[in-house]
Amino acid sequence: MAVMPLFLLVAGSAAVAGLARRTPVPAPLLLVAAGLAASAVPGVPDYPLDPHIVLPLVLPPLLHTAALDSSYLDLRANLRPVALLSVGYVLFATLVVGYAAYLLVPDLPLTAALVLGAVVAPPDAVAATAIARRLGLPHRITTILQGESLVNDATAITAYKVAVAAAVGIGATWGDGIEEFALASVGGIGIGVVLMVPLHWLRVRLRESALLENTLSLLIPFVAYAAAEQVGASGVLAVVVVALYLGHRSWQVDFETRLQEEAVWKMISFLLESVVFALIGLQLPVVLRGLGEFSGAEALWYAVVVFLVVVVARFVWVFPATYVPRLLSARIRTREPETTWTAPVIVGWAGMRGVVSLAIAFSIPATVQGGGPFPARNLVLFLTFTTVIATLVAQGLTLPPLIRALRLPGRDAQAETLAEAQAQSEASRAAEERLDELLQDQRNALPGPLADRLRTVMERRRNSVWERLGAVNEVTGESADETYRRLAREMIDTERRVFVRLRDARRIDDEMMRTLLRRLDLEEAAAYREGAE
């Protein structure tokens, strides 16, 4: 792709994503709509979705970011529902959608229909969790959706490889499929386990160089993905395992590294997600040009039926998967919280498809063994595209009002703040005891005002969370803690302006000004994070 079209794609996608933050429409939907609109404008170049770019270069960093932000402990606690969705549901959807397409489209071989089923089986790794977080869904539902999206691509890609092998005539039996799945899953997890410890060890040993640590951080998802794919294992699972481990132990790396890493990965994730959803809409001309022998009305009818089968199949799987294990196992009923009918409704409807489905579809070979064309390849591309668009629009637009209509209990902010305050109080007491212990050693002797300052900082940190539970200012509506942070930022802004004025007057040089501003930036970042959390 030429430099200028690529630049326009990135800049336009980022602009639309930024605009979406000012509207009630989720960013993925607005980006897809913008892509569709742009594809109809004369002169807009084609943006072919190359699977050799999306799968090894775009998917790993997106999965890495999502897994870093996930909780290993929460995923482990919800392993059963996550596995039932990310493995069981994907295989179920592959068979159901594939068989439905086989019955629906005349002369479509079952093997080619199963390729379609595998392609549209995995829900998107970004859209559902983005909407869930924005709407404040219950923590367990968000965890399950996020866990599903981290693993389901690996299942779908493996099912796709088996189906394609059968469709092109290479030959694939049930035994071959099980062997392929075992190699992909066990191998991917194994590669991740082998890599995660030395990579974390290296990050910890580079403690003195935040830039070097973050350079390594940028390479990690690509290294894990490539290493697993090189031996025929699942690169998706390798990336997820490594990122979950690194995220779980991120407290062991230097604070400066964590600050930089969070900012860098947020920017990368924002740009990639924006470009990915815009690319979905931009595929319309490519897909329509390839319909070939299928008329528009005929292809549209197939698209409607496939979309309905995709939606219904998810509900058919989700409800039994939610209730049957609870009916059969007293242990599950004891360990897991009671589930109302509203939770599986939300999980069932949060099945939007995304760019991975399109990338897999575009990787379908053009010919089969012997040189003949792949059966109905262009129709499979079209049905994948329409399913992605239909689920993003129909389910993405209606999911927020559905959640509000069902009145699912959101997170208890008061209870979370209370738990945070108790944890902070316990940590501050331990830190104060440690300070008293250290000050008894003559090597740690400090003037009284500096020792008092350390105690004041601890007291401030301990009290700030409790103050959020207190009364608010009748005039501003702020808590005492919020007012404190606002005034602190005003003071920081004043200091910053003075430093700039002194630099302009040549009383300090630029290097000194940058050093002083960095200290203020760190203080402001700490104040902002306290307010955001």
Side-chain angles (χ1 to χ4, degrees):
M1 185 181 294
V3 174
M4 183 55 69
L6 180 60
F7 171 78
L8 292 175
L9 173 63
V10 174
S13 302
V16 173
L19 177 64
R21 298 191 173 194
R22 299 176 178 270
T23 72
V25 181
L29 306 184
L30 202 59
L31 285 160
V32 170
L36 287 169
S39 68
V41 176
V44 171
D46 284 344
Y47 288 92
L49 205 160
D50 188 346
H52 300 296
I53 294 177
V54 172
L55 294 180
L57 297 181
V58 175
L59 186 58
L62 287 177
L63 288 170
H64 183 79
T65 307
L68 282 177
D69 290 339
S70 301
S71 167
Y72 160 73
L73 297 177
D74 287 343
L75 289 174
R76 188 178 66 180
N78 293 282
L79 184 60
R80 181 191 58 80
V82 168
L84 284 173
L85 284 173
S86 59
V87 179
Y89 164 69
V90 171
L91 296 177
F92 175 75
T94 298
L95 296 175
V96 170
V97 175
Y99 192 68
Y102 168 69
L103 296 178
L104 176 69
V105 181
D107 301 324
L108 180 67
L110 180 59
T111 52
L114 289 174
V115 170
L116 171 64
V119 165
V120 300
D124 181 65
V126 177
T129 49
I131 293 174
R133 285 177 172 173
R134 181 172 178 173
L135 296 172
L137 275 177
H139 183 74
R140 186 165 186 260
I141 294 180
T142 303
T143 298
I144 291 171
L145 290 175
Q146 191 172 41
E148 176 194 13
S149 68
L150 289 175
V151 181
N152 61 6
D153 291 334
T155 309
I157 291 172
T158 305
Y160 161 79
K161 289 179 180 178
V162 175
V164 164
V168 300
I170 296 177
T173 64
W174 286 105
D176 295 331
I178 294 172
E179 183 180 347
E180 177 84 21
F181 184 80
L183 173 62
S185 56
V186 176
I189 294 172
I191 293 293
V193 169
V194 168
L195 291 176
M196 66 186 190
V197 175
L199 286 173
H200 177 67
W201 179 88
L202 186 58
R203 277 164 56 81
V204 173
R205 293 303 178 275
L206 295 175
R207 184 181 292 273
E208 300 302 322
S209 177
L211 286 175
L212 194 56
E213 282 188 71
N214 280 293
T215 301
L216 174 64
S217 177
L218 290 175
L219 296 175
I220 284 172
F222 304 105
V223 170
Y225 188 92
E229 292 291 324
Q230 189 68 28
V231 298
S234 170
V236 170
L237 290 178
V239 171
V240 169
V241 168
V242 170
L244 282 175
Y245 183 83
L246 296 181
H248 188 63
R249 295 185 172 271
S250 62
W251 60 274
Q252 293 177 327
V253 302
D254 186 70
F255 80 96
E256 190 173 6
T257 297
R258 286 197 302 274
L259 290 174
Q260 287 185 11
E261 185 177 55
E262 182 179 14
V264 167
W265 278 113
K266 278 186 176 180
M267 179 192 68
I268 291 174
S269 179
F270 171 77
L271 285 176
L272 288 180
E273 289 174 11
S274 302
V275 169
V276 155
F277 284 107
L279 273 174
I280 291 175
L282 288 166
Q283 300 313 300
L284 180 61
V286 179
V287 172
L288 289 180
R289 279 200 300 267
L291 269 179
E293 76 249 28
F294 298 97
S295 67
E298 186 181 24
L300 190 59
W301 163 244
Y302 297 154
V304 171
V305 174
V306 169
F307 164 69
L308 292 176
V309 171
V310 165
V311 172
V312 172
R314 186 165 174 87
F315 281 101
V316 169
W317 178 266
V318 167
F319 271 90
T322 301
Y323 292 109
V324 171
R326 296 182 65 86
L327 292 174
L328 298 178
S329 172
R331 184 182 179 188
I332 292 176
R333 292 195 297 272
T334 302
R335 291 178 55 187
E336 297 183 3
E338 187 68 32
T339 301
T340 64
W341 63 270
T342 55
V345 168
I346 295 300
V347 172
W349 194 244
M352 290 83 82
R353 271 54 177 177
V355 72
V356 172
S357 292
L358 276 175
I360 298 174
F362 275 97
S363 68
I364 297 173
T367 60
V368 298
Q369 197 172 38
F374 189 97
R377 181 181 186 274
N378 293 329
L379 180 64
V380 172
L381 286 177
F382 176 79
L383 295 178
T384 303
F385 176 81
T386 53
T387 301
V388 169
I389 296 294
T391 54
L392 282 173
V393 174
Q395 294 180 308
L397 284 177
T398 55
L399 184 58
L402 177 63
I403 292 171
R404 288 191 289 267
L406 293 178
R407 297 182 179 179
L408 267 73
R411 296 190 176 188
D412 188 339
Q414 195 80 346
E416 289 184 357
T417 302
L418 180 61
E420 180 186 353
Q422 292 169 337
Q424 182 62 67
S425 181
E426 185 175 337
S428 296
R429 281 197 302 270
E432 195 164 4
E433 292 172 3
R434 177 60 175 161
L435 177 62
D436 291 338
E437 179 185 328
L438 290 170
L439 290 177
Q440 291 175 4
D441 191 330
Q442 291 301 316
R443 293 174 300 178
N444 299 322
L446 273 180
L450 287 180
D452 291 339
R453 182 180 178 185
L454 285 174
R455 290 190 174 92
T456 300
V457 169
M458 283 189 297
E459 184 178 358
R460 155 77 189 134
R461 196 178 294 132
R462 177 172 59 241
N463 292 340
S464 65
V465 188
W466 289 106
E467 288 165 358
R468 286 188 226 160
L469 297 168
V472 298
N473 186 303
E474 294 181 359
V475 177
T476 63
E478 297 173 325
S479 69
D481 192 50
E482 290 169 337
T483 303
Y484 177 94
R485 285 192 299 271
R486 178 170 56 81
L487 296 181
R489 286 195 290 267
E490 289 285 346
M491 294 170 65
I492 289 171
D493 283 341
T494 301
E495 288 188 73
R496 187 177 287 120
R497 286 192 293 269
V498 170
F499 291 146
V500 173
R501 189 175 72 245
L502 292 175
R503 189 277 311 270
D504 292 344
R506 307 303 296 271
R507 292 173 59 184
I508 62 175
D509 59 22
D510 279 281
E511 184 177 355
M512 182 177 293
M513 183 194 72
R514 282 191 287 268
T515 300
L516 294 168
L517 289 182
R518 175 164 176 75
R519 294 175 187 167
L520 291 180
D521 290 343
L522 290 173
E523 289 186 32
E524 188 171 14
Y528 174 80
R529 288 179 68 83
E530 285 184 4
E533 296 167 2

